Amino acid sequence: MNKGKVVVGMSGGVDSSAAAYLLKQQGYDVIGVTMQIWQEESRQIQEENGGCCGLSALEDARRVASKLDIPYYVLNFRKEFQDKVVDYFIEEYQNGRTPNPCIACNRYVKWEALLHRAKEIGADYIATGHYARIEQHPVTGRYCIRTSVTAQKDQTYVLYNLTQEQLQSTLMPIGEYEKEEVRKIASNIDYFVSKKADSQEICFIPDDDYVGFIERETGEKSKPGDFVDMDGKVLGKHKGIIHYTVGQRKGLGIAFGKPMYVYAINKEKNQVILCDNDSLFQKKVYANQMNYMAIEKIEGEMRFQAKIRYNHQKSWCTVREIEEGKIECVFDEPQRAITPGQAIVLYDGEYVAGGGMIIGSE
Amino acid sequence: METKIYFDNAATTPVRQEVLQEMLPYFQDFYGNASSVYTIARKSKTALELARKQVADALGALPEEIYFTAGGSESDNMALKGVADALQKKGNHIITSKIEHHAILHTCEYLAEKGFEITYLDVDQDGKISLDDLKKSIRPTTILISIMFANNEIGTIQPIAEIGKIAKENGIYFHTDAVQAVGHVPINVKDMNIDLLSLSGHKLCGPKGIGAIYIRKGVQITPLIHGGAQEKHRRAGTENIPAIVGLGKAAELAVAELPQTAEKLTKLRDKLIHGIQEKIPYAKLNGHPTDRLPGNCNIGFEFIEGESLLLLLDSAGVAASSGSACTSGSLDPSHVLMAIGLPHEKAHGSLRLTLGHYNTEEEVDYVLNILPEIVERLRNMSPLYEEFLKKQKS
């Protein structure tokens, strides 16, 4: 019956609660763990929520673990989270890019750090409540992420950066279920958890004001500079480059007479370059820091479908390696707002072939 | 695995059988409200006053100087906020230390927001404050000195009588958070010139949710909880008689048995400390080697993560801690270990084992038997240790 020991990362939400339940049903020896990664709550928020250590999520996770009758621990990963996620997040914005903190968190905190801790305490696997499956690729035999059985929810994009070793030691039980089934499973465990909303995008910035967050963390106000057009003509003043992301239209703060969008950010000149909507469409993407999953490497020209952001529709493209770990990807059709700092993830059908960080476009 | 060995008596203790027996009649037989006039209520009143005397005797105080509260945190809050409020016309400066319990530190932060000035005294590597620093930090506006009797994490006992003397000479109230000390080390509030003292029931084999504050006769203090006339108007609310009876009995037993208990626990503690240091390299004792609570053993293991150590001990049936227990159960680098000068990573790798009434030598032997293996396992997986070994070779 016993299939080994697994540490489940529990957030107190629907998905990870269901994951813990399913693994227990499947005969694993399950240990629940909540990773404490961030605590930046004013005393006021703490007083309102009555939390000593913030994050009322802990209480939900603890209750679920107790109902499932599994051991439960809260582990502290604040230092790792600060170093690998928060600092990276701030640095990327300061460099004029748009980071995806979930990807960094998955690779370095949820996997690297948690897996290490799990193995220390004698576990064989870690598990999460992601909507994705982990399988060996039918042709290459390599471990890779495969899309979940439900089309409603696909979290493969944020998982492209896991290593073979990490994938081998990971279980994602809810990738086999529809969203509604998962909610039903959760409601059998705990009514309140099953009614919880999906988690928000940037977990460590609950008010969504990432600019305010960066300014508080660094103690520096972002430096105003010029909006320029594609010919370098000055169009007005911007509030500091961290306020902007490629493709953005709202919040530029100036009326230009026609719709204008952020085309690019020039950190050296502290400029934000604007363009019209048509100019946002491009075909060619450059990416580095490639991580390969289903394939070992890019050989010659290879055809994939790719996503350039979380909610992007997969599109066909041709990819070749231009130097080690660096690729050029040419889409069949022009794509809107290719954003440096975001990931490009390559798919071979339902399997993640690999991915990397976007560094430029043409 | 079920907990077989409980080595976390600084977090809380089981209620002793004798204590429970004393408490039980007050739930169903003598349930009267101590403020009422009829016979059954008089039983409650009598029990209340007996408990007050028991607690007073444990401290060398007068019964009328003891006020029951809901625990150590409430007593600490009452001492700080109550004195701050009562003496705010006289001054706004409070002296405390960096290694106090959060019930003191967070209350001080709150008072600082209200306009009080707080001096947080440093401690030395053993966790003791400097009396010189204390003297130097006294101002004309100083209204209160609050220094804990013994630390909950590293067990270090402060020079309380000397602090009391300095406070008295300067006409400043002296409060001590003695939650970890009462019933564990001898205390006499008169000899030590203590004006206010906090204590808690569940650290000395009494029930949880009950505590007391000693307030020397004549000390000016504003109540924290307003309402009825209980506790001479200083702490409103119907008295929790069963818990108060339990606290009284627990205090009486602890103080009566103190010399024997202290001797037994000191012996076990030293066996544990020396045993660990003999069997495990790079293990350093945190806190003062001799001026420490009889049951407290706090050891820092280099290169490893305290959390994993605790989890592995838990799966071996041993309940231990790596610092103070926060409600989330998550561990931050302890402010106490940081204050005695430990760097961040070492503050993370510490283990606190606290012994109490029910612990035995066999249990100490068991822990001494399994701990080296666990530490070894974690070190073998530690990148820090690997690095260290490489450096040693080259």
Side-chain angles (χ1 to χ4, degrees), chain A residues 172-211:
Chain A
M172 291 185 180
I174 68 164
E176 308 286 348
Y177 294 85
E178 297 285 338
K179 180 84 198 171
E180 276 324 298
E181 290 177 282
V182 170
R183 215 169 257 283
K184 211 176 283 166
I185 292 167
S187 72
N188 287 333
I189 312 165
D190 189 284
Y191 174 78
F192 293 101
V193 163
S194 73
K195 295 292 170 204
K196 281 172 81 170
D198 282 358
S199 53
Q200 56 204 330
E201 204 131 320
I202 305 177
C203 68
F204 54 96
I205 310 179
D207 62 359
D208 272 339
D209 174 17
Y210 76 89
V211 173

Side-chain angles (χ1 to χ4, degrees), chain A residues 5 33 36 39 43 52-53 58-59 62 73-76 78-80 116-117 119-123, chain B residues 106 109-110 113 305 307-308 311-312 314 326-332 344 348 377-378 381-383:
Chain A
K5 208 173 190 178
V33 157
Q36 197 168 25
Q39 176 186 358
R43 183 130 107 235
C52 141
C53 293
L58 295 182
E59 290 312 316
R62 195 188 301 277
Y73 305 100
V74 180
L75 299 182
N76 190 319
R78 283 198 206 147
K79 190 173 177 301
E80 289 90 341
H116 182 81
R117 207 71 77 79
K119 295 214 160 154
E120 274 188 350
I121 60 171
Chain B
H106 288 168
E109 281 171 29
Y110 166 80
E113 280 172 21
E305 200 57 65
E307 278 182 344
S308 300
L311 267 49
L312 287 171
D314 184 28
C326 167
T327 56
S328 78
S330 157
L331 308 162
D332 268 331
H344 194 281
H348 257 307
R377 173 192 168 86
L378 293 175
M381 296 180 72
S382 158

